[in-house]
Coordinates of all heavy atoms in Angstrom, one line a residue:
V17 N 148.7 165.1 208.0 CA 148.8 164.5 206.6 C 147.5 164.8 205.9 O 146.4 164.4 206.4 CB 149.1 163.0 206.6 CG1 149.1 162.5 205.2 CG2 150.4 162.7 207.4
D18 N 147.5 165.5 204.8 CA 146.3 165.8 204.0 C 146.5 165.6 202.5 O 147.4 166.2 201.9 CB 146.0 167.3 204.3 CG 144.7 167.8 203.5 OD1 143.9 167.0 203.3 OD2 144.7 169.0 203.2
R19 N 145.8 164.7 202.0 CA 145.8 164.3 200.6 C 147.3 164.1 200.0 O 147.7 164.6 199.0 CB 145.2 165.5 199.7 CG 143.7 165.6 199.9 CD 143.1 166.8 199.3 NE 143.6 168.0 199.9 CZ 143.3 169.3 199.5 NH1 142.6 169.4 198.4 NH2 143.8 170.3 200.2
G20 N 148.0 163.3 200.8 CA 149.3 162.9 200.4 C 150.4 164.0 200.7 O 151.6 163.8 200.3
M21 N 150.0 165.0 201.4 CA 151.0 166.1 201.8 C 151.2 166.2 203.3 O 150.3 165.9 204.1 CB 150.5 167.4 201.2 CG 150.4 167.5 199.7 SD 149.6 169.1 199.1 CE 147.9 168.8 199.7
L22 N 152.4 166.6 203.7 CA 152.7 166.8 205.1 C 152.5 168.3 205.3 O 153.2 169.1 204.7 CB 154.1 166.4 205.4 CG 154.7 166.5 206.8 CD1 153.7 165.9 207.8 CD2 156.1 166.0 206.9
V23 N 151.6 168.7 206.2 CA 151.2 170.1 206.3 C 151.4 170.6 207.7 O 151.0 170.0 208.7 CB 149.7 170.2 206.0 CG1 149.3 171.7 206.0 CG2 149.4 169.6 204.6
R24 N 152.1 171.7 207.8 CA 152.2 172.4 209.1 C 150.9 173.2 209.2 O 150.6 174.2 208.6 CB 153.4 173.4 209.1 CG 153.6 174.1 210.5 CD 152.8 175.3 210.5 NE 152.9 176.0 211.8 CZ 152.0 176.9 212.3 NH1 151.0 177.2 211.6 NH2 152.2 177.5 213.5
D25 N 150.0 172.7 210.1 CA 148.6 173.2 210.1 C 148.3 174.2 211.2 O 147.6 175.1 211.1 CB 147.7 172.0 210.3 CG 146.2 172.3 210.1 OD1 145.9 172.9 209.1 OD2 145.4 172.0 211.0
E26 N 149.0 174.0 212.3 CA 148.9 175.0 213.5 C 150.1 174.9 214.3 O 150.9 174.0 214.1 CB 147.6 174.6 214.3 CG 147.6 173.2 214.9 CD 146.4 172.8 215.6 OE1 145.3 173.5 215.4 OE2 146.4 171.8 216.4
K27 N 150.2 175.8 215.3 CA 151.4 175.9 216.1 C 151.6 174.6 216.9 O 150.7 174.1 217.6 CB 151.3 177.0 217.1 CG 152.6 177.3 217.8 CD 153.7 177.9 216.8 CE 155.0 178.3 217.5 NZ 156.0 178.8 216.6
G28 N 152.8 173.9 216.7 CA 153.1 172.7 217.4 C 154.5 172.5 217.5 O 155.0 171.5 218.1
G29 N 155.4 173.4 216.9 CA 156.8 173.2 217.0 C 157.3 172.4 215.8 O 156.6 171.8 215.0
P30 N 158.6 172.5 215.5 CA 159.3 171.8 214.4 C 159.2 170.3 214.6 O 159.0 169.8 215.7 CB 160.7 172.3 214.4 CG 160.9 172.7 215.9 CD 159.6 173.2 216.4
I31 N 159.4 169.5 213.5 CA 159.4 168.1 213.6 C 160.8 167.6 213.1 O 161.4 168.3 212.2 CB 158.2 167.4 213.0 CG1 158.1 167.8 211.5 CG2 157.0 167.7 213.7 CD1 157.1 167.0 210.8
Y32 N 161.2 166.4 213.5 CA 162.6 165.9 213.2 C 162.5 164.5 212.6 O 161.6 163.7 213.0 CB 163.4 165.9 214.4 CG 163.7 167.2 215.1 CD1 162.7 167.9 215.8 CD2 164.9 167.9 214.9 CE1 162.9 169.1 216.4 CE2 165.2 169.1 215.5 CZ 164.2 169.7 216.2 OH 164.4 171.0 216.7
S33 N 163.4 164.2 211.7 CA 163.6 162.8 211.2 C 164.1 162.0 212.4 O 164.9 162.4 213.2 CB 164.5 162.8 210.1 OG 165.8 163.2 210.5
E34 N 163.6 160.7 212.5 CA 164.1 159.8 213.5 C 165.5 159.5 213.3 O 166.3 159.4 214.2 CB 163.2 158.6 213.5 CG 161.8 158.7 214.1 CD 161.1 157.4 214.1 OE1 161.4 156.5 213.4 OE2 160.1 157.3 214.9
E35 N 165.9 159.4 212.1 CA 167.3 159.0 211.7 C 168.2 160.2 211.5 O 167.8 161.3 211.1 CB 167.2 158.1 210.4 CG 168.5 157.5 210.0 CD 168.5 156.6 208.8 OE1 167.3 156.3 208.4 OE2 169.5 156.2 208.3
E36 N 169.5 160.0 211.8 CA 170.5 161.0 211.5 C 171.1 160.7 210.2 O 171.3 159.5 209.8 CB 171.6 161.0 212.6 CG 171.1 161.5 213.9 CD 172.2 161.7 214.9 OE1 173.4 161.4 214.6 OE2 171.9 162.2 216.0
F37 N 171.5 161.7 209.5 CA 172.1 161.6 208.1 C 173.4 162.5 208.1 O 173.4 163.6 208.6 CB 171.1 162.1 207.1 CG 169.8 161.3 207.1 CD1 168.7 161.8 207.7 CD2 169.8 160.0 206.5 CE1 167.5 161.1 207.7 CE2 168.6 159.3 206.5 CZ 167.4 159.8 207.1
G38 N 174.4 161.9 207.4 CA 175.6 162.6 207.2 C 175.8 163.2 205.8 O 175.3 164.3 205.5
D39 N 176.3 162.4 204.8 CA 176.3 162.8 203.5 C 175.1 162.3 202.7 O 174.8 161.1 202.8 CB 177.6 162.2 202.8 CG 178.9 162.8 203.3 OD1 178.8 163.8 204.1 OD2 180.0 162.3 203.0
F40 N 174.4 163.2 202.1 CA 173.1 162.8 201.5 C 172.7 163.8 200.4 O 173.3 164.9 200.3 CB 172.0 162.8 202.6 CG 171.8 164.1 203.2 CD1 170.9 165.0 202.6 CD2 172.4 164.5 204.4 CE1 170.7 166.3 203.2 CE2 172.2 165.8 204.9 CZ 171.3 166.7 204.3
E41 N 171.7 163.4 199.6 CA 171.0 164.3 198.7 C 169.5 164.2 199.1 O 168.9 163.1 199.1 CB 171.2 163.9 197.3 CG 170.4 164.8 196.3 CD 170.5 164.3 194.9 OE1 171.3 163.5 194.6 OE2 169.8 164.9 194.0
L42 N 168.9 165.3 199.5 CA 167.5 165.3 199.9 C 166.8 166.1 198.9 O 167.2 167.2 198.5 CB 167.4 166.1 201.3 CG 166.0 166.3 201.8 CD1 165.3 165.0 202.2 CD2 166.0 167.3 203.0
R43 N 165.7 165.6 198.4 CA 164.8 166.3 197.5 C 163.4 166.3 198.0 O 162.9 165.3 198.6 CB 164.9 165.7 196.1 CG 164.4 164.3 195.9 CD 164.8 163.7 194.6 NE 164.3 162.4 194.3 CZ 164.6 161.7 193.3 NH1 165.4 162.1 192.4 NH2 164.1 160.5 193.1
F44 N 162.7 167.4 197.7 CA 161.4 167.6 198.3 C 160.7 168.7 197.5 O 161.3 169.5 196.8 CB 161.4 167.9 199.8 CG 162.2 169.2 200.1 CD1 161.6 170.4 200.3 CD2 163.6 169.1 200.3 CE1 162.4 171.5 200.6 CE2 164.4 170.2 200.6 CZ 163.8 171.4 200.7
E45 N 159.3 168.6 197.6 CA 158.5 169.7 196.9 C 157.7 170.4 198.1 O 157.3 169.8 199.1 CB 157.5 169.1 195.9 CG 158.3 168.5 194.7 CD 157.3 167.9 193.7 OE1 156.1 168.0 193.9 OE2 157.8 167.4 192.6
W46 N 157.5 171.7 197.9 CA 156.9 172.5 198.9 C 156.1 173.7 198.3 O 156.4 174.1 197.2 CB 157.9 173.0 199.9 CG 159.0 173.9 199.2 CD1 160.1 173.5 198.7 CD2 158.9 175.3 199.0 NE1 160.8 174.5 198.1 CE2 160.1 175.7 198.3 CE3 158.0 176.3 199.4 CZ2 160.3 177.0 198.0 CZ3 158.2 177.6 199.1 CH2 159.4 178.0 198.3
K47 N 155.2 174.2 199.1 CA 154.5 175.5 198.8 C 154.2 176.1 200.2 O 154.1 175.4 201.2 CB 153.3 175.4 198.0 CG 152.1 174.6 198.6 CD 150.9 174.6 197.7 CE 149.8 173.9 198.3 NZ 148.5 173.8 197.4
I48 N 154.1 177.4 200.2 CA 153.9 178.1 201.4 C 152.7 179.1 201.3 O 152.5 179.6 200.2 CB 155.2 178.8 201.9 CG1 155.1 179.2 203.4 CG2 155.5 180.0 201.0 CD1 156.5 179.5 204.0
A49 N 152.1 179.4 202.5 CA 151.0 180.4 202.4 C 151.5 181.8 202.2 O 152.7 182.1 202.4 CB 150.3 180.3 203.8
E50 N 150.7 182.7 201.8 CA 151.0 184.1 201.5 C 151.7 184.7 202.8 O 151.1 184.6 203.9 CB 149.9 184.9 201.1 CG 150.2 186.3 200.7 CD 149.0 187.0 200.1 OE1 147.9 186.4 200.0 OE2 149.1 188.2 199.7
G51 N 152.8 185.3 202.6 CA 153.5 186.0 203.7 C 154.2 185.0 204.6 O 154.7 185.4 205.7
G52 N 154.4 183.7 204.2 CA 154.9 182.7 205.1 C 156.4 182.6 205.2 O 157.1 183.1 204.4
N53 N 156.8 181.9 206.2 CA 158.2 181.7 206.5 C 158.4 180.3 207.1 O 157.7 179.9 208.0 CB 158.7 182.8 207.5 CG 160.1 182.6 207.9 OD1 160.9 181.8 207.3 ND2 160.5 183.2 209.0
S54 N 159.3 179.5 206.5 CA 159.6 178.2 207.0 C 161.0 177.8 206.6 O 161.8 178.7 206.2 CB 158.5 177.2 206.5 OG 158.7 175.9 207.1
G55 N 161.3 176.5 206.7 CA 162.6 176.1 206.2 C 162.9 174.6 206.6 O 162.1 174.0 207.3
V56 N 163.9 174.1 206.0 CA 164.4 172.7 206.3 C 165.8 172.8 206.8 O 166.7 173.3 206.1 CB 164.3 171.9 205.0 CG1 164.9 170.5 205.3 CG2 162.9 171.8 204.5
K57 N 166.0 172.3 208.0 CA 167.4 172.3 208.6 C 167.9 170.9 208.5 O 167.2 169.9 208.5 CB 167.3 172.7 210.1 CG 167.0 174.2 210.3 CD 167.1 174.6 211.7 CE 166.8 176.1 211.9 NZ 166.9 176.5 213.3
Y58 N 169.2 170.8 208.5 CA 169.9 169.4 208.4 C 171.1 169.4 209.2 O 171.7 170.4 209.6 CB 170.1 169.1 206.9 CG 170.7 170.2 206.1 CD1 172.1 170.1 205.8 CD2 170.0 171.3 205.6 CE1 172.7 171.1 205.1 CE2 170.6 172.3 204.8 CZ 172.0 172.2 204.6 OH 172.6 173.1 203.8
R59 N 171.6 168.2 209.4 CA 172.7 167.9 210.3 C 172.6 168.6 211.7 O 173.5 169.3 212.1 CB 174.1 168.3 209.7 CG 174.5 167.3 208.5 CD 175.9 167.7 208.0 NE 176.3 166.9 206.9 CZ 177.4 167.1 206.2 NH1 178.2 168.2 206.5 NH2 177.8 166.3 205.2
M60 N 171.4 168.5 212.2 CA 171.1 169.1 213.5 C 171.9 168.6 214.6 O 172.2 167.4 214.8 CB 169.6 169.0 213.8 CG 168.7 169.6 212.8 SD 168.8 171.4 212.8 CE 168.0 171.7 214.4
K61 N 172.4 169.5 215.5 CA 173.3 169.2 216.6 C 172.8 170.0 217.8 O 172.4 171.2 217.6 CB 174.7 169.4 216.3 CG 175.6 169.2 217.5 CD 177.1 169.6 217.2 CE 178.0 169.5 218.5 NZ 179.4 169.9 218.2
Y62 N 172.9 169.4 219.0 CA 172.5 170.2 220.2 C 173.8 170.9 220.8 O 174.8 170.2 221.0 CB 172.0 169.2 221.3 CG 171.5 170.0 222.6 CD1 170.3 170.6 222.6 CD2 172.3 170.0 223.7 CE1 169.9 171.3 223.7 CE2 171.9 170.7 224.8 CZ 170.7 171.3 224.8 OH 170.3 172.0 225.9
Y63 N 173.7 172.2 220.9 CA 174.8 173.0 221.5 C 174.5 173.5 222.9 O 173.4 174.1 223.1 CB 175.1 174.2 220.6 CG 175.6 173.8 219.2 CD1 174.7 173.5 218.2 CD2 177.0 173.9 218.9 CE1 175.2 173.1 216.9 CE2 177.5 173.6 217.7 CZ 176.6 173.2 216.7 OH 177.1 172.9 215.4

């Protein structure tokens, strides 16, 4: 956590919400480093 932002700072793996959600509206703000690749997944399930 840096200045009110949640930052992927170094290799550590993805992180997950503790709670599960079904029907929802999620809103968020983001920026990414040059050449970067990331994403937000939802309704995660183990297969």
Side-chain angles (χ1 to χ4, degrees):
V17 177
D18 179 30
R19 293 172 292 175
M21 296 175 289
L22 179 54
V23 185
R24 185 275 177 199
D25 190 52
E26 59 183 16
K27 192 67 176 177
I31 58 175
Y32 296 76
S33 63
E34 288 183 337
E35 187 176 349
E36 294 190 355
F37 301 99
D39 291 352
F40 64 85
E41 177 182 353
L42 176 71
R43 62 190 186 190
F44 55 97
E45 295 182 0
W46 60 271
K47 66 178 180 178
I48 195 163
E50 185 175 358
N53 175 15
S54 187
V56 176
K57 293 185 178 181
Y58 49 100
R59 288 185 181 173
M60 297 292 290
K61 176 185 175 180
Y62 185 79
Y63 292 82

